[in-house]
Amino acid sequence: NGLATRMKKKEIGEYFYQQVKTLCPDVISVQEVRLEREEGKQGTVKRGSSDETHWEAFMAPLRDEFDAYLSLSSKKYGGQAILVRKAMDKPRVTYNMGNQGGHFKSGRFVKLECEDLIVRSVYAPFNGAGKREHYARRKAWDACLKEELRDPGLGGKARILLGDLNVVYRNT
């Protein structure tokens, strides 16, 4: 997995960009991008790195039509890229649940607040195959997300939740 790896192997190519052109999405959410970030900057791919080269190549066909919002992990792990069509009003972007500042660990949460719409993109942690500490981590995540989705101060705005919810119907 990971965006740089997929770009390097040419697994993201003409078909992806043709689908974007055909479907005309306003928002594209990509999880587990695994891009190395600039020290202390969760929204910036490390300058001069091969990850930056792959990120720029990925964005080149999209840059004229989409703004990108990144939430990257401190390690080359997890992270998300959210692309928003430039024709939309600029959203207010936050990276943590419950109106807390900063970025949620491992780039797992991005909220875009538009005039009449709230888009939340998540990369939920896996609950682990029977590992107690993973299950506890996921249970805490679910509680935070449930509270986030209840946010009553949205004034009737439509709400969309998308991303990698890491939902499995049995232990794997």
Side-chain angles (χ1 to χ4, degrees), residues 41-107:
K41 297 182 180 179
Q42 289 93 339
T44 305
V45 179
K46 187 171 184 176
R47 289 179 172 71
S49 67
S50 62
D51 284 351
E52 182 186 41
T53 302
H54 293 303
W55 170 248
E56 292 301 323
F58 172 76
M59 281 302 295
L62 303 169
R63 196 167 307 286
D64 288 342
E65 300 217 20
F66 289 90
D67 288 319
Y69 302 94
L70 295 170
S71 184
L72 304 174
S73 176
S74 58
K75 297 182 251 180
K76 196 171 174 176
Y77 171 82
Q80 297 189 74
I82 315 303
L83 310 179
V84 178
R85 190 167 294 280
K86 289 182 178 187
M88 292 180 63
D89 290 334
K90 283 248 189 250
R92 177 177 169 259
V93 182
T94 54
Y95 298 93
N96 209 338
M97 291 189 261
N99 296 317
Q100 296 179 38
H103 283 240
F104 199 90
K105 297 176 205 165
S106 302

Side-chain angles (χ1 to χ4, degrees), residues 3-16:
L3 189 63
T5 301
R6 290 180 180 269
M7 290 300 292
K8 190 177 187 178
K9 292 181 176 181
K10 300 188 185 317
E11 293 176 357
I12 298 175
E14 196 56 39
Y15 179 75
F16 172 79

